[in-house]
Amino acid sequence: MSMNRRQFLKIAGLTTIAGVGGPVIVAGMKERLLEASELVDVPERSGALTAQRWGMVVDMSRFRTEADRQKVIDACHHIHNVPDFGNPKDEIKWIWPETYEHAFPGREDEYMPHALKEMPFLVLCNHCANPPCVRVCPTKATFKRKDGIVMMDMHRCIGCRFCMAACPFGARSFNWRDPRGKDAQGRPFIRKENPEYPTRTIGVVEKCTFCTERLAKGLQPACAEASDGGLVFGDLEDENSDIRNKLRNHFTIRRKTELGTSPSVYYVIGGAEHV
Amino acid sequence: MFEKALQGNKSYWIWIFVLLAITGAGFLAYLRQFTYGLGVTGMSRDVSWGFYIGQFTFLVGIAASGVMLVLPYYLHNYKKFGRLVILGEFLAISAVIMCILFIFVDLGQPRRVMNVMLHPTPNSVMFWDMVVLVGYLILNVVIGWTVLGAERKGTPPQGWVKPLIYLSIAWAPSIHTVTAFLYAGLPGRHFWLSAIMAARFLASAFASGPALLIILALIIRRVTRFDPGKEAIQTLGKIVTYFMLTNVFFLGLEFFTAFYSGIPGHIHTFEYLYAGIEGHDKLVPLMRISSVLAVVAVFLLIFPKIRANETMLALASVAVFISLWIDKGFGLVVGGFIPNMFEKVVEYWPTGLELLISLGVWAIGLLVLTALYKIAISVKEEVEL
Amino acid sequence: MYDGNKIIIGLVVFGLLIISPILYNTLGKASVPPEPDINTPEINKMVEKKCVEPKSFMRANHMQILNDWRDEVVRVGKTRTYVNGEGKEFNMSLQNTCMKCHSNKKNFCDKCHTYMAVKPYCWDCHIAPKEKTT
């Protein structure tokens, strides 16, 4: 095959462009991808709580009354400026009760104790090891940190709500309207602002963050702190942690494990006496 | 060639201004949504996608269906489509523009939309959806414009367009496949978690798109001096027939798997859509209309003699279009969220404002379509007369 | 030239419109750039009135610092501590560090931002300190 000068120059030019441009583009992409490559480093500030994989055990034997649950919910919702719109359509929640049959659909048995079937379990973001919400987010606004926490970047969220469609646990809420607004009676949706923590704005998705802001200060998550031992928070990868001890000594269940997301929140149904 | 869109008779301008007025009303409605938030829609924590995303999904199908004209014409040299092919390409342009707008009005933070490109995320199907839609838009604009321009000059289109045309033929199914993957890869949404989703999407797209083209071709024949060709329309009718049957067949497969396996999660949404669950039945009338129209359409289409009658074909096309518009533009998306992740039924119905915004988007799409068709037909008339 | 007069008049009107902001500013009185106010109880208490970085640097680069802090705190999470040029440590927080001293958002942030016609969306979420309305 012979080629004339013109053809040669064309091919040579294209090769050069591919040779020079290709790596530049690839390097650029790599940088972009690495910037929020799935796993992001854990906090290393002195005094910060760190872990390989944060997890939680909800011990239902410690949540016998509504007051037990409410104080935990209030602690979280107050500290994070979670608004209360007073209607289910706009509702935003980070941690809340669902009865057994709704928290664990498909697991209810026909003749199980009525009390158990109706028992309100505290549900929250499961901080899955394999989170579908992170997989679908088109901007990496939701991502997984190296310590297992599935985090939200409210600055970057475009409000497409793909993560809400993808989360099998209904853990995500959307700001359908301004959380800083007031209702018809002039009452603010955020009853009492916590000036130490931001609110959110219209059109972003939010959820539980396992209190990353408190972990950085060496504090337990607000819910765990308020729970009197009902919520055990700790490192799932550390054999000697309280949480592993709890898991070793109790029969625990997780929500919808068949979907392969591997939740990091475990439930103890009875007290130790039932094992 | 743009000037052709600016020269029209009185009825052309009335039509344009009607569309502009609807667009304006939709825009005002959107301003309200922009300041108040998406709370003005019927969507909620439980049904977090609604009418907008439904319309988007349906319109991706319309856009993809342009290939049903391009492929026979360019790959099989089916000359009868020569007069129609540009209409298919321009319909695709208008449909993709509507798709992009429907995504845009659905965003909670529309000002941050460029984040999708600033932070490209290859593991997100939505990122790829953006890539394929924008790519398809560019392909159709370039191809349609170049080919039409060449036709006007009476020369064959430039050589470099050919590879682009072949690329666009492969690209068309990809846009709808990727759109199906938005749904078909989500754990826990049983109604969507179906391997046949992309195939079903393509079947319904290749039925509803050509059905719309038949309707448009018949309208064009009536209001202009340009005749897209009786035989071409009949061939489109055949395409609609085969793909409508395929679509109904695929839907039947979904029913079989859900009900024969008896797995509750797979049954629930079908129950909700077609019968209602515990008195929650807002979508049932719509879904039944869709089913009845599908049956009517299949009956009208399946007999060649009935189909050969253009009035009957038009009726069948309208039935196909509305049936699939309900099925895909509403039921499919909303149904996926009901029951919710806690197996509770929370219903959804679009609000007036939501519908007004959607109407505005459709008006923009029709505006683009009208202008493009006006240009294409003027050129064709000029060449032929 | 057809319609030469009309074209020339049109061009003059167009030109005037284009330079109207400049005319407005030169013919009118020159506006004085505002000086951000640092007169807050917290700052007045300080022995050495120093921000995280020198004033000139902050004036030019505070938005960049805030962006870096944001990404560090929300996305990287390695450390939420900022070490400045002098080796002093600060907690990276708009609400809990910056605004603890600059408790006068209206006379500090807003003054310049209004002058420059920029509208940072920080305050859509971050809570501004409670100020006496003056």
Side-chain angles (χ1 to χ4, degrees):
Chain A
M1 193 183 80
S2 67
M3 62 170 83
N4 59 27
R5 203 177 102 107
R6 195 184 151 94
Q7 282 167 330
F8 170 79
L9 284 176
K10 255 190 195 168
I11 293 170
L14 283 175
T15 320
T16 317
I17 290 169
V20 175
V24 170
I25 293 167
V26 169
M29 276 296 267
K30 237 184 199 163
E31 197 185 323
R32 285 262 178 231
L33 298 184
L34 280 179
E35 161 233 5
S37 66
E38 282 229 350
L39 303 173
V40 180
D41 269 331
V42 290
E44 273 170 17
R45 180 202 285 191
S46 52
L49 297 185
T50 57
Q52 296 269 311
R53 180 183 169 195
W54 288 115
M56 187 178 269
V57 171
V58 181
D59 184 348
M60 288 310 294
S61 66
R62 305 289 190 103
F63 294 101
R64 289 300 189 214
T65 67
E66 207 199 319
D68 294 338
R69 294 183 292 273
Q70 202 56 45
K71 70 176 183 224
V72 167
I73 296 168
D74 288 345
C76 167
H77 286 183
H78 166 64
I79 211 166
H80 296 118
N81 291 322
V82 175
D84 174 9
F85 295 101
N87 71 66
K89 188 176 162 296
D90 296 324
E91 190 177 26
I92 291 176
K93 47 194 178 185
W94 288 24
I95 179 168
W96 71 99
E98 290 284 349
T99 58
Y100 180 86
E101 54 176 340
H102 295 302
F104 302 93
R107 279 201 190 222
E108 65 270 34
D109 295 310
E110 271 174 85
Y111 307 114
M112 69 193 296
H114 186 72
L116 177 57
K117 206 170 175 175
E118 299 292 313
M119 185 189 282
F121 282 66
L122 282 176
V123 296
L124 64 157
C125 171
N126 275 302
H127 296 278
C128 303
N130 181 20
C133 53
V134 171
R135 196 153 61 229
V136 302
C137 178
T139 61
K140 303 187 198 86
T142 191
F143 55 94
K144 203 177 117 186
R145 310 200 321 173
K146 257 192 180 158
D147 58 2
I149 293 179
V150 176
M151 184 65 178
M152 263 308 292
D153 186 347
M154 315 285 178
H155 306 92
R156 190 181 285 187
C157 176
I158 60 171
C160 71
R161 310 190 297 293
F162 201 3
C163 55
M164 295 178 78
C167 174
F169 305 102
R172 292 174 162 268
S173 304
F174 183 72
N175 285 275
W176 297 103
R177 50 189 302 194
D178 187 1
R180 293 229 184 140
K182 295 184 171 86
D183 63 14
Q185 281 77 47
R187 265 201 336 165
F189 297 129
I190 301 170
R191 299 280 179 267
K192 194 173 174 297
E193 269 180 357
N194 169 15
E196 310 264 295
Y197 197 80
T199 66
R200 264 70 61 199
T201 186
I202 290 179
V204 295
V205 174
E206 60 180 90
K207 66 169 195 77
C208 156
T209 64
F210 265 171
C211 287
T212 49
E213 82 284 5
R214 289 172 59 87
L215 297 178
K217 284 195 264 180
L219 298 168
Q220 287 263 312
C223 58
E225 193 179 82
S227 70
D228 294 329
L231 301 174
V232 181
F233 181 80
D235 188 354
L236 289 170
E237 300 282 322
D238 176 5
E239 266 185 66
N240 304 314
S241 63
D242 288 351
I243 189 169
R244 281 290 290 273
N245 192 38
K246 193 93 177 169
L247 290 172
R248 218 175 357 255
N249 295 315
H250 294 78
F251 171 73
T252 51
I253 56 174
R254 289 183 293 168
R255 295 170 65 198
K256 300 187 182 177
T257 45
E258 70 278 11
L259 299 177
T261 69
S262 192
S264 303
V265 177
Y266 291 75
Y267 292 87
V268 175
I269 292 181
E273 68 275 19
H274 301 298
V275 177
Chain B
M1 290 186 285
F2 271 118
E3 73 281 1
K4 306 272 182 215
L6 298 174
Q7 301 154 353
N9 56 20
K10 202 172 157 197
S11 38
Y12 174 74
W13 284 109
I14 291 175
W15 171 240
I16 293 286
F17 277 104
V18 167
L19 290 178
L20 280 174
I22 300 172
T23 306
F27 182 72
L28 289 179
Y30 181 71
L31 284 184
R32 169 76 184 139
Q33 177 183 296
F34 187 79
T35 45
Y36 181 93
L38 279 163
V40 297
T41 69
M43 290 185 274
S44 65
R45 195 180 189 289
D46 298 288
V47 184
S48 47
W49 280 343
F51 199 71
Y52 297 149
I53 295 294
Q55 295 300 294
F56 154 77
T57 309
F58 177 76
L59 286 166
V60 176
I62 299 290
S65 72
V67 75
M68 283 293 108
L69 293 166
V70 177
L71 189 147
Y73 182 67
Y74 286 105
L75 286 191
H76 300 284
N77 204 18
Y78 183 70
K79 290 281 181 242
K80 297 268 160 38
F81 274 171
R83 303 163 72 87
L84 262 177
V85 116
I86 189 75
L87 301 186
E89 284 161 350
F90 281 174
L91 176 61
I93 293 176
S94 142
V96 175
I97 289 173
M98 284 191 268
C99 288
I100 293 170
L101 286 173
F102 269 117
I103 289 283
F104 186 79
V105 298
D106 188 66
L107 291 181
Q109 280 286 339
R111 277 173 292 198
R112 299 182 188 168
V113 64
M114 292 316 277
N115 279 4
V116 179
M117 290 184 209
L118 285 174
H119 309 285
T121 315
N123 51 286
S124 170
V125 183
M126 194 154 316
F127 168 74
W128 291 110
D129 214 25
M130 187 265 310
V131 171
V132 291
L133 278 177
V134 172
Y136 193 64
L137 180 63
I138 294 170
L139 276 177
N140 274 290
V141 168
V142 171
I143 294 170
W145 205 252
T146 317
V147 173
L148 190 66
E151 190 175 329
R152 190 185 185 194
K153 289 191 210 112
T155 55
Q158 291 90 323
W160 54 264
V161 190
K162 263 283 154 69
L164 288 186
I165 290 171
Y166 296 141
L167 179 64
S168 85
I169 290 171
W171 202 287
S174 88
I175 64 169
H176 218 24
T177 304
V178 174
T179 306
F181 286 175
L182 286 176
Y183 304 99
L186 304 181
R189 302 266 178 213
H190 301 298
F191 181 61
W192 293 339
L193 193 71
S194 160
I196 209 174
M197 193 61 98
R200 207 179 130 202
F201 268 35
L202 286 168
S204 71
F206 295 158
S208 56
L212 178 60
L213 266 172
I214 291 176
I215 300 165
L216 290 172
L218 292 174
I219 293 173
I220 284 169
R221 183 196 281 163
R222 191 161 279 197
V223 301
T224 73
R225 283 173 297 165
F226 176 71
D227 182 4
K230 197 172 167 64
E231 217 169 313
I233 292 175
Q234 282 300 319
T235 309
L236 274 180
K238 267 182 219 152
I239 292 174
V240 175
T241 311
Y242 280 109
F243 280 107
M244 188 60 188
L245 286 171
T246 313
N247 178 60
V248 172
F249 172 63
F250 284 170
L251 183 62
L253 296 183
E254 295 273 23
F255 267 93
F256 172 80
T257 303
F259 286 91
Y260 196 79
S261 72
I263 299 172
H266 290 268
I267 295 177
H268 281 154
T269 297
F270 286 102
E271 260 179 8
Y272 171 72
L273 288 177
Y274 292 95
I277 296 178
E278 291 160 9
H280 299 291
D281 54 4
K282 271 189 193 164
L283 259 60
V284 173
L286 268 185
M287 295 311 286
R288 290 198 180 154
I289 291 172
S290 169
S291 307
V292 170
L293 286 174
V295 172
V296 169
V298 167
F299 179 81
L300 291 177
L301 287 169
I302 209 165
F303 300 106
K305 271 201 182 135
I306 304 182
R307 197 171 68 213
N309 177 335
E310 267 186 4
T311 315
M312 286 299 158
L313 183 63
L315 274 179
S317 299
V318 171
V320 165
F321 186 81
I322 296 176
S323 169
L324 295 178
W325 180 74
I326 294 171
D327 182 50
K328 207 163 157 192
F330 203 135
L332 182 114
V333 172
V334 176
F337 289 98
I338 303 171
N340 69 6
M341 289 309 186
F342 304 95
E343 295 209 343
K344 291 178 185 169
V345 178
V346 177
E347 296 201 87
Y348 161 85
W349 196 255
T351 60
L353 212 64
E354 199 174 355
L355 292 176
L356 194 56
I357 292 170
S358 305
L359 205 62
V361 174
W362 272 96
I364 294 175
L366 280 177
L367 211 52
V368 172
L369 188 73
T370 307
L372 289 175
Y373 274 20
K374 179 75 177 41
I375 294 168
I377 290 163
S378 304
V379 167
K380 298 229 175 225
E381 283 174 345
E382 188 184 280
V383 171
E384 284 175 19
L385 301 173
Chain C
M1 194 159 75
Y2 295 114
D3 293 333
N5 286 339
K6 284 184 198 161
I7 292 172
I8 290 165
I9 292 169
L11 279 175
V12 170
V13 171
F14 178 74
L16 281 175
L17 275 177
I18 286 290
I19 59 167
S20 61
I22 301 164
L23 289 179
Y24 178 83
N25 276 349
T26 46
L27 297 182
K29 64 174 185 331
S31 58
V32 188
E35 189 63 24
D37 179 10
I38 53 162
N39 178 23
T40 70
E42 294 81 1
I43 296 176
N44 288 336
K45 257 184 263 166
M46 293 170 92
V47 186
E48 207 184 0
K49 286 181 185 148
K50 264 190 181 172
C51 194
V52 172
E53 295 285 355
K55 184 173 166 183
S56 57
F57 181 84
M58 291 309 287
R59 180 167 285 196
N61 300 304
H62 65 281
M63 56 301 255
Q64 193 53 50
I65 284 196
L66 286 171
N67 261 1
D68 292 347
W69 283 18
R70 175 190 74 191
D71 287 344
E72 181 65 30
V73 167
V74 179
R75 304 197 68 87
V76 183
K78 210 167 200 159
T79 164
R80 293 187 173 202
T81 310
Y82 179 76
V83 185
N84 72 1
E86 297 174 5
K88 247 183 114 189
E89 292 191 356
F90 296 91
N91 176 24
M92 293 179 174
S93 172
L94 174 64
Q95 269 171 247
N96 300 323
T97 302
C98 307
M99 303 313 285
K100 279 277 145 64
C101 289
H102 297 289
S103 56
N104 55 339
K105 170 174 167 281
K106 284 198 188 79
N107 280 327
F108 186 73
C109 309
D110 296 354
K111 222 177 183 178
C112 270
H113 290 158
T114 309
Y115 177 74
M116 298 297 291
V118 290
K119 282 184 190 158
Y121 64 68
C122 311
W123 314 106
D124 290 0
C125 294
H126 290 277
I127 299 173
K130 294 270 171 289
E131 290 182 68
K132 284 172 277 176
T133 42
T134 43

